[in-house]
Amino acid sequence: MMLDKARRLIVPSARSDVPPFIVMDVMAAAARIEARGGRVIHMEVGQPAASAPQTAIRAAKAALDTGNIGYTEALGIPALRARIARHYDETHGVAVEPERIVVTTGSSAGFVLAFLSMFEPGDRVALANPGYPPYRHILTALGCEPVLIETSAATRWAMSVDALLDAHRDKPLKGVLVASPANPTGTMMRAQALAALVAAAEGEGIRFISDEIYHGLDYAFPAETAVKLSEDAVIINSFSKYFCMTGWRVGWMVVPEALVRPVERLQQNLAISVPTLSQIAATAAFEGRDEMDNVKHGYEENRRILVEGLPKAGLGEFLPVDGAFYLYADVSHFTDDSFDFAKRMLEEAGVAATPGIDFDPQRGKRFIRFSYARSAADMREAVERIGAWLSKC
Ligand SMILES: Cc1ncc(COP(=O)(O)O)c(C=O)c1O
């Protein structure tokens, strides 16, 4: 009786019924092959193989030795907020008041804080398709409506002003979120294109969110920050990618003055504060930029190996490889089922990659995402294995 009652009580909410992240399933399949003694080249996970900057690790060790790791202010430790503000001056020549910086538990928590502080349930928020799946899943869980905007080669696979305004005319949008460099495409928006999109959105009263998590990893041309373009835009960033600190779970936002206090109240209630050790490490991470630039040079070499090698191996069609550490390859020559293609490539060639359907349920059936955040030797071996496998397909 009691058990029956408990079962009835714990029916999961409809809002928690978000789709899984398919890349996790690929990782699990790769792990099963490795457990049997097989070797897999991991190109599925979007995470750097390198370690965090030594400056960050040393700072964390010293802090740990004090034995006193308490809560911090909800918006983050002042030294880190000031250091992030200085980063905008150093890197982009733009002054930002430290008061507008909010430290977050990775950029992932930044999305939750941004969406909660900017939107009401039912609000429509435009996202580029293909795109990072958690954007749409977090919006859905919060009761907002993700509006997918198709992208094409004509705009370097970024959202165009026309497409945004068309969607807005269709039914009003409350917000728009873009990322440049983007995941999964690895493509970037030129500075003028980003400026035009910000101006068009704000001209219509559509709030702009810029996910700049892959800043610092730009190869084709420099990435532009929305901090420079609007004081009303919300910028989300992270120590996960350029600084190789995925597991430290620390990121930041730059928010308009009007959102500082609402975001502070939300953070106080949702998290109290961001892990203290991670904040201390992150403050010191900025002094490890030389080390991180070397890691970036490694990605540039990987990019060169893939851009030259994949066409010879048989995968000649991919989107411009501008930034982040992703290459989005068109495999429609071989299949219209990228999930099956990725599964066979893993089982038969020992190369793990992510099917495009994770990022774009429809057109993603024709695409595979490769992550090139590991060693150059791995990239060379991957190209060889893919070439040998495709020649037999
Ligand atoms: C585009 C994009 N945004 C945000 C994230 C979340 O990263 P984190 O929460 O580690 O900062 C990722 C992770 O892969 C990503 O690719």
Side-chain angles (χ1 to χ4, degrees):
M1 262 303 270
M2 285 285 283
L3 204 59
D4 276 357
K5 194 172 165 211
R7 276 201 195 105
R8 280 200 308 277
L9 279 176
I10 54 169
V11 174
S13 66
R15 69 164 77 190
S16 67
D17 189 17
V18 295
F21 207 179
I22 293 171
V23 65
M24 300 299 196
D25 293 344
V26 179
M27 283 164 72
R32 283 195 293 275
I33 294 177
E34 285 169 327
R36 294 199 303 265
R39 174 165 145 71
V40 173
I41 301 176
H42 288 275
M43 299 181 78
E44 78 281 31
V45 198
Q47 98 166 322
S51 84
Q54 287 308 308
T55 51
I57 294 169
R58 274 199 300 274
K61 280 185 178 160
L64 206 52
D65 283 342
T66 69
N68 193 356
I69 305 292
Y71 294 133
T72 74
E73 289 165 49
L75 292 173
I77 55 177
L80 176 55
R81 295 172 72 201
R83 187 63 192 87
I84 292 169
R86 201 170 106 213
H87 160 76
Y88 284 98
D89 190 17
E90 288 170 354
T91 314
H92 297 283
V94 56
V96 184
E97 307 79 48
E99 294 71 32
R100 289 180 53 209
I101 309 288
V102 181
V103 181
T104 58
T105 309
S107 65
S108 301
F111 299 126
V112 178
L113 292 169
F115 300 160
L116 280 173
S117 62
M118 297 167 83
F119 307 128
E120 304 293 348
D123 281 350
R124 286 160 45 86
V125 181
L127 306 169
N129 196 38
Y132 179 60
Y135 299 149
R136 45 188 151 94
H137 301 163
I138 298 172
L139 281 167
T140 310
L142 294 179
C144 299
E145 186 190 337
V147 178
L148 300 188
I149 309 274
E150 295 304 327
T151 59
S152 72
T155 52
R156 225 180 174 80
W157 302 90
M159 191 187 299
S160 71
V161 167
D162 286 348
L164 177 74
L165 296 182
D166 279 352
H168 185 56
R169 269 190 291 273
D170 216 21
K171 199 168 165 204
L173 294 165
K174 197 61 165 288
V176 54
L177 187 162
V178 302
S180 168
N183 177 10
T185 57
T187 57
M188 285 170 51
M189 298 178 81
R190 299 248 176 220
Q192 308 89 298
L194 185 67
L197 196 64
V198 173
E202 293 192 346
E204 292 291 325
I206 304 168
R207 287 129 202 214
F208 201 90
I209 305 174
S210 182
D211 178 1
E212 303 189 350
I213 184 170
Y214 291 104
H215 274 216
L217 302 177
D218 42 8
Y219 318 110
F221 49 89
E224 178 72 317
T225 175
V227 171
K228 258 171 116 170
L229 304 173
S230 162
E231 289 204 345
D232 292 323
V234 168
I235 286 76
I236 296 183
N237 207 323
S238 174
F239 289 88
S240 289
K241 309 293 168 154
Y242 172 81
F243 288 106
C244 302
M245 293 175 70
T246 46
W248 296 75
R249 308 309 302 129
V250 57
W252 75 87
M253 304 163 80
V254 184
V255 301
E257 239 176 82
L259 284 189
V260 173
R261 184 62 184 150
V263 168
E264 182 178 26
R265 288 193 307 256
L266 283 166
Q267 178 116 289
Q268 287 169 344
N269 283 282
L270 290 174
I272 299 185
S273 61
V274 172
T276 307
L277 204 54
S278 299
Q279 294 192 61
I280 291 167
T283 311
F286 285 102
E287 281 17 272
R289 291 192 70 104
D290 288 348
E291 196 185 336
M292 294 299 105
D293 280 344
N294 277 335
V295 175
K296 174 184 177 175
H297 297 323
Y299 302 148
E300 280 174 298
E301 173 63 1
N302 292 350
R303 171 180 182 259
R304 193 189 58 72
I305 294 167
L306 295 182
V307 169
E308 284 173 15
L310 283 179
K312 291 180 198 150
L315 287 182
E317 284 184 48
F318 39 80
L319 273 46
V321 196
D322 293 333
F325 30 60
Y326 301 120
L327 182 147
Y328 202 52
D330 186 337
V331 291
S332 56
H333 201 53
F334 300 96
T335 185
D336 56 7
D337 181 352
S338 60
F339 186 78
D340 174 68
F341 186 88
K343 190 163 163 278
R344 284 190 292 116
M345 190 168 73
L346 174 60
E347 282 163 4
E348 295 163 22
V351 177
T354 309
I357 49 168
D358 222 6
F359 314 99
D360 175 350
Q362 279 313 312
R363 285 190 304 178
K365 289 176 189 157
R366 296 172 18 214
F367 288 91
I368 292 283
R369 186 195 73 175
F370 291 101
S371 167
Y372 54 90
R374 296 178 83 92
S375 71
D378 271 7
M379 297 304 115
R380 286 194 199 92
E381 193 179 341
V383 165
E384 263 174 41
R385 287 182 179 208
I386 293 168
W389 177 63
L390 284 178
S391 68
K392 283 186 266 152
C393 277

